[in-house]
């Protein structure tokens, strides 16, 4: 299969598409994951191998035991008993068998437990490191990747990785140990069986190759056919109240039944393919058993092998059939897990947002920029400036969302003085929200700069910046108030103060200032009161005021307000107006509003037209011209 072109097809959902060869960086990622525990892992692997060897060598010991009873006859000549077991009686053999078996069990158990624990810790490290970097990827990444795909990486792909590396890998390794031990032990019994075993190994591989694609396709289909019924379930629970009001339960039940049946049908098909594969493998094992019987008889007659060794061969032939089948079964799952590792590795290696850095606590040494040792701690408590308001300078700003798209801001150039209240108006699509994005440096812009208090963030063009500051610190100096309040599932405290850097008094003060004190006092659990997903358990006004209190706590010198639509309800409008006049009256304010009445109190208004400044003046001068232009 040709490898997909970067940036285009790589984003397409080619579920579990194994391209035949993994990127080198995949192995590097696995190495980084296991690095701190390599020695222990190696020790457990040795213990595991010894364990399997001991358990399987029982067959050889029994073979030797049988040979001690050998009396020369027409059927077989007797082979001498190896020196190690010479003179051992029945009780002696039983004791050896007991010790060997016990040792084998203990070693195997140690390996399974120890290895699985370490391996699970290693893949968790990998997951954490991928998450750390994904949270710092450029916004374009989140624009071009549907949420579902990103979630799939962290749920289903990681699930595949964890399902293999988090435990079953020990099983898979044990199977590999078994196969290796069997090769050694059967050769120890008699070298004559080796070609037969190798032949049957190859034949099994052939059967696997024949079935591999079919198995992969059916497995992929199975996982793909599961998601629609799950998605339908999720949709249904979200719209539960609407469905009940309209009495549409039967429609949803029918649809669910149909989707579920499709999944069950696919399940049957997959099982059928698996069964066929397993029967072919079993057929091969039966063939090998017949061959071993015939060859053993012939070899024993000619005095080439002992009777005991025929027993050993029979044991391993039966066992190897099963083990090989398991091996190929696991191989398919291992490939799936490796595909998961490859997909996560892609996120691990991507370039971070310009200006973003990884915390010093990151564990994988990748090519990403990292904070200095003390820098991070200092920055945590730092402020861009102590003053309550700051100037905003926009110099020759050219901005577009990606290089192949047209410019949405074309050479903006203006300065906002500290404490000034600026309104921004313009038709829909004129670039108002885009200006906010540029202000936060959410997208890299090609020309120009945006500075607060004369300073800009240290994105990857330091030559153009006079006074570099950390991107995070720069962003913290701007508070964004949006019409759509953003709240998360958690406690009230977490929603107000995610980093837990404020005292209860400060939190209470912020709530009082936005007028939520009375509401807060009615909450039985205080700051630990639960906030549901997207603040579902709060009224629209409460949500907005909470966000406002959060902004107050941020204590940023620049406040940006973006009214996304003109269809804002009067209550929200009132809250926003109060925010500009009361809560943030001493800050530099940038207000994007659709109702011109909101803007009459601004010091100046910026009129954007198709990404350019049409006018920038006092409201009494600008608003009449603007209204005129929009009426005609
Ligand atoms: N993430 C994005 N990727 C690509 N293009 C975008 C993106 N966001 C906005 N645009 C485009 O940029 C242009 C300006 O959009 P912007 O959101 O800045 O307009 P706006 O002035 O805020 O409009 P409105 O008043 O409707 O909110 C539009 O043509 C829009 O299609
Ligand atoms: Mg907008």
């Amino acid at each position: 299969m040709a490898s997909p072109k970067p940036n285009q097809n790589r984003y397409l959902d080619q579920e579990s598409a194994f391209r035949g060869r993994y990127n080198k960086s995949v192995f590097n990622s696995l190495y980084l994951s296991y690095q701190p525990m390599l020695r222990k892992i190696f020790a457990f692997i040795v213990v595991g191998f010894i364990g399997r060897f001991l358990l399987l060598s029982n067959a050889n010991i029994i073979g030797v035991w049988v040979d001690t009873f050998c009396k020369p006859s027409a059927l077989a000549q007797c082979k001498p008993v190896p020196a190690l077991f010479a003179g051992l009686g029945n009780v002696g053999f039983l004791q050896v068998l007991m010790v060997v078996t016990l040792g084998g069990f203990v070693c195997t158990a140690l390996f399974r437990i120890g290895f699985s624990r370490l391996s699970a810790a290693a893949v968790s490290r990998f997951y954490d490191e991928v998450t750390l970097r994904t949270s710092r990827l450029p916004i374009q990444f989140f624009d071009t990747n549907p949420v579902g795909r990103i979630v799939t990486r962290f749920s289903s792909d990681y699930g595949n990785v964890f399902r293999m590396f988090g435990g079953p890998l020990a099983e898979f390794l044990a199977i590999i140990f078994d196969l290796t031990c069997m090769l050694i032990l059967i050769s120890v019994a008699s070298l004559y069986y080796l070609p037969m075993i190798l032949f049957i190994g190859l034949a099994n591989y052939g059967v696997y190759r024949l079935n591999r694609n079919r198995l992969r396709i059916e497995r992929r289909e199975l996982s793909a056919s599961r998601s629609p019924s799950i998605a339908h379930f999720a949709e249904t629970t979200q719209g539960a109240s609407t469905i009940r009001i309209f009495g549409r339960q039967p429609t949803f039940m029918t649809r669910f039944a149909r989707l579920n049946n499709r999944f069950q049908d696919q399940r049957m098909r997959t099982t059928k393919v698996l069964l066929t594969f397993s029967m072919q493998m079993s057929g091969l094992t039966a063939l090998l058993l017949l061959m071993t019987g015939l060859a053993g008889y012939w070899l024993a007659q000619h005095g080439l092998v002992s009777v005991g060794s025929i027993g050993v061969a029979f044991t391993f032939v039966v066992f190897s059939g099963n083990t090989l089948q398991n091996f190929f079964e696991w191989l398919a799952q291992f490939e799936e897990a490796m595909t998961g590792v490859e997909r996560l590795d892609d996120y691990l290696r991507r370039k971070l947002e310009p200006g973003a850095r990884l915390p010093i606590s990151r564990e994988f040494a990748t090519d990403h920029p990292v904070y200095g040792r003390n820098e991070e701690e200092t920055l945590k408590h730092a402020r861009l400036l102590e003053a309550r308001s700051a100037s905003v300078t926009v110099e020759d700003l050219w901005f577009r969302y990606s290089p192949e798209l047209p410019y949405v801001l074309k050479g903006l150039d203006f300065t906002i003085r500290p404490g000034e209240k600026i309104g921004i108006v313009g038709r829909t699509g004129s670039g108002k929200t885009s200006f906010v994005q540029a202000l936060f440096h959410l997208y890299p812009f090609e020309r120009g700069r945006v500075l607060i208090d004369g300073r800009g963030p240290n994105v990857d063009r330091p030559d153009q910046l006079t006074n570099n500051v950390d991107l995070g610190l720069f962003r913290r100096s701007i508070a964004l108030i949006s019409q759509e309040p953003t709240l998360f599932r958690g406690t009230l405290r977490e929603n107000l103060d995610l980093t837990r850097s404020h005292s209860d008094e400060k939190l209470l003060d912020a709530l009082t200032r936005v007028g939520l004190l009375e509401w807060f006092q009615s909450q039985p659990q205080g700051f630990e009161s639960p906030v549901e997903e997207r603040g579902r358990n709060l009224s629209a006004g409460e949500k907005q005021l909470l966000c406002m209190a959060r902004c107050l706590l941020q204590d940023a010198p620049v406040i940006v307000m973006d009214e996304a639509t003109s269809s804002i309800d009067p209550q929200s409008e009132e809250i926003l107006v109060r925010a500009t006049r009361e809560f943030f009256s001493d800050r530099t304010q940038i207000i994007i509003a659709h109702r011109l009445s909101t803007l009459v109190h601004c010091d100046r208004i910026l009129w954007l037209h198709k990404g350019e400044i049409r006018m920038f003046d006092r409201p009494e001068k600008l608003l009449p011209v603007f209204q005129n232009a929009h009426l005609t």
Side-chain angles (χ1 to χ4, degrees):
M1 198 186 300
S3 68
K5 280 188 203 137
N7 296 332
Q8 290 172 15
N9 297 347
R10 78 183 309 166
Y11 296 128
L12 291 180
D13 249 349
Q14 294 176 327
E15 287 294 292
S16 311
F18 173 55
R19 297 193 208 110
R21 188 177 292 169
Y22 302 107
N23 285 335
K24 267 205 193 105
S25 63
V26 171
F27 297 103
N28 180 254
S29 290
L30 284 176
Y31 170 73
L32 288 171
S33 311
Y34 284 94
Q35 198 178 20
M37 46 197 91
L38 272 183
R39 275 186 193 186
K40 281 190 192 163
I41 284 272
F42 184 72
F44 277 120
I45 285 179
V46 172
V47 169
F49 188 83
I50 293 174
R52 300 313 294 175
F53 192 88
L54 287 177
L55 281 180
L56 289 176
S57 64
N58 272 330
N60 290 52
I61 298 170
I62 294 172
V64 175
W65 189 6
V66 169
D67 284 342
T68 59
F69 294 108
C70 177
K71 295 200 175 70
S73 72
L75 177 70
Q77 297 168 18
C78 289
K79 292 227 133 207
V81 173
L84 190 65
F85 300 98
L88 222 58
N90 285 351
V91 177
F93 268 106
L94 272 176
Q95 281 168 340
V96 171
L97 279 177
M98 239 167 61
V99 171
V100 167
T101 310
L102 199 69
F105 271 126
V106 171
C107 288
T108 307
L110 269 178
F111 162 69
R112 286 265 166 97
I113 298 168
F115 181 89
S116 301
R117 276 185 59 178
L118 289 178
S119 190
V123 286
S124 302
R125 267 161 55 81
F126 179 50
Y127 186 77
D128 291 347
E129 293 291 303
V130 174
T131 314
L132 193 69
R133 285 158 182 81
T134 309
S135 65
R136 288 160 176 79
L137 290 180
I139 293 291
Q140 282 113 320
F141 167 83
F142 297 97
D143 285 350
T144 50
N145 284 280
V147 180
R149 195 172 304 165
I150 301 173
V151 172
T152 306
R153 286 282 181 284
F154 285 94
S155 51
S156 139
D157 285 339
Y158 178 66
N160 287 340
V161 175
F162 199 83
R163 256 200 304 282
M164 172 49 77
F165 287 87
L169 184 58
E171 180 109 358
F172 187 48
L173 282 179
I175 290 173
I176 296 174
F177 296 162
D178 282 355
L179 289 172
T180 320
C181 292
M182 275 191 255
L183 266 185
I184 297 172
L185 289 168
I186 210 163
S187 310
V188 168
S190 168
L191 277 173
Y192 287 108
Y193 300 117
L194 197 59
M196 256 160 48
I197 283 279
L198 289 178
F199 164 74
I200 214 73
L202 276 176
N204 270 308
Y205 180 66
V207 168
Y208 167 70
R209 281 301 295 259
L210 272 179
N211 285 278
R212 186 167 70 174
N213 277 342
R214 187 96 220 111
L215 282 169
R216 272 187 197 160
I217 291 170
E218 294 299 340
R219 274 220 186 82
R220 216 174 297 154
E221 285 291 317
L222 186 66
S223 75
S225 68
R226 183 180 288 141
S227 52
S229 58
I230 294 176
H232 178 63
F233 216 95
E235 267 169 26
T236 312
T237 42
Q238 268 173 8
S241 44
T242 319
I243 293 167
R244 199 160 291 180
I245 289 167
F246 288 100
R248 299 297 291 271
Q249 292 96 321
T251 322
F252 282 85
M253 285 301 293
T254 320
R255 181 139 182 254
F256 182 72
R258 186 161 45 82
L259 293 170
N260 202 36
N261 282 344
R262 203 179 293 164
F263 170 59
Q264 296 300 348
D265 285 349
Q266 181 55 43
R267 217 186 166 131
M268 288 300 287
R269 267 197 298 277
T270 313
T271 313
K272 219 167 106 187
V273 173
L274 270 172
L275 262 179
T276 315
F277 171 57
S278 141
M279 278 170 69
Q280 286 171 355
M281 288 278 210
S282 304
L284 269 179
T285 310
L287 180 71
L288 182 61
L289 268 178
L290 188 67
M291 275 168 62
T292 315
L294 292 175
Y297 182 75
W298 188 84
L299 288 167
Q301 258 197 337
H302 290 80
L304 296 169
V305 298
S306 70
V307 178
S309 82
I310 300 179
V312 176
F314 265 108
T315 310
F316 287 144
V317 166
V318 174
F319 195 51
S320 73
N322 217 342
T323 313
L324 272 171
Q325 202 170 324
N326 278 340
F327 172 77
F328 291 121
E329 270 288 299
W330 280 107
L331 193 64
Q333 291 191 39
F334 185 72
E335 275 180 10
E336 216 162 272
M338 284 297 280
T339 309
V341 174
E342 191 171 35
R343 289 173 168 202
L344 286 166
D345 174 72
D346 171 37
Y347 282 12
L348 183 85
R349 310 276 167 179
R350 278 170 191 251
K351 251 188 132 119
L352 304 185
E353 170 181 32
R357 283 181 280 174
L358 294 178
I360 186 95
S361 57
R362 64 91 184 80
E363 297 194 18
F364 288 9
T366 40
D367 300 336
H368 301 112
V370 182
Y371 279 111
R373 192 158 292 282
N374 297 321
E375 207 176 356
E376 214 179 334
E377 202 47 40
T378 322
L379 277 170
K380 218 181 256 174
H381 308 287
R383 290 164 56 90
L384 187 67
L385 69 163
E386 287 307 318
R388 297 184 77 77
S389 61
S391 67
V392 177
T393 316
V394 180
E395 283 179 13
D396 190 29
L397 173 64
W398 288 79
F399 175 89
R400 54 182 165 184
Y401 285 96
S402 84
E404 61 279 359
L405 292 174
Y407 282 104
V408 288
L409 298 177
K410 305 166 193 161
L412 298 193
D413 207 301
F414 60 91
T415 303
I416 304 171
R417 291 185 287 274
E420 218 181 350
K421 198 196 270 189
I422 297 294
I424 300 183
V425 292
R427 277 183 197 275
T428 180
S430 57
K432 302 181 295 295
T433 301
S434 305
F435 170 66
V436 177
Q437 315 262 34
L439 181 65
F440 276 101
H441 288 74
L442 285 178
Y443 295 83
F445 35 85
E446 332 225 325
R447 245 169 80 185
R449 47 190 194 164
V450 180
L451 309 173
I452 291 182
D453 194 37
R455 286 177 291 172
N458 59 341
V459 288
D460 56 355
R461 300 162 308 150
D463 51 313
Q464 288 188 33
L465 297 165
T466 42
N467 207 343
N468 291 351
V469 288
D470 176 64
L471 179 67
L473 180 63
F474 180 88
R475 283 189 183 151
R476 279 210 306 276
S477 67
I478 316 162
L480 176 72
I481 300 170
S482 71
Q483 191 181 322
E484 226 2 86
T486 314
L487 292 169
F488 310 97
R489 193 190 151 92
T491 62
L492 189 56
R493 185 192 299 281
E494 282 165 348
N495 273 281
L496 278 173
D497 178 20
L498 206 62
T499 53
R500 292 190 168 242
S501 47
H502 301 296
S503 63
D504 281 8
E505 287 72 41
K506 276 197 92 170
L507 298 186
L508 208 56
D509 177 54
L511 288 176
T512 314
R513 279 172 65 195
V514 298
L516 276 181
L517 183 65
E518 210 174 308
W519 170 83
F520 175 74
Q521 281 164 344
S522 71
Q523 299 295 310
Q525 286 163 274
F527 288 118
E528 307 317 315
S529 306
V531 172
E532 294 298 334
E533 218 175 290
R534 281 169 302 184
R536 253 195 332 225
N537 57 339
L538 303 170
S539 79
E542 285 159 0
K543 276 190 265 191
Q544 217 144 23
L545 289 170
L546 266 185
C547 289
M548 217 61 93
R550 187 167 59 193
C551 278
L552 275 175
L553 285 162
Q554 194 184 331
D555 205 12
V558 179
I559 306 291
V560 178
M561 200 145 60
D562 189 0
E563 234 179 48
T565 61
S566 51
S567 60
I568 185 167
D569 61 290
Q571 192 194 12
S572 308
E573 170 90 3
E574 191 205 308
I575 294 171
L576 293 182
V577 169
R578 274 184 66 204
T580 61
R581 302 214 189 127
E582 293 174 36
F583 313 148
F584 304 106
S585 56
D586 52 352
R587 317 284 160 146
T588 307
Q589 293 183 14
I590 300 171
I591 306 161
I592 299 169
H594 285 82
R595 298 184 180 204
L596 299 182
S597 57
T598 318
L599 297 172
V600 287
H601 298 286
C602 287
D603 297 312
R604 284 191 292 167
I605 295 179
L606 182 88
W607 176 3
L608 271 184
H609 185 72
K610 294 186 178 165
E612 289 176 276
I613 301 178
R614 174 62 73 86
M615 213 173 155
F616 190 23
D617 215 326
R618 303 189 62 76
E620 59 272 21
K621 280 200 178 163
L622 187 140
L623 288 180
V625 188
F626 179 72
Q627 271 169 317
N628 249 340
H630 279 248
L631 286 174
T632 53

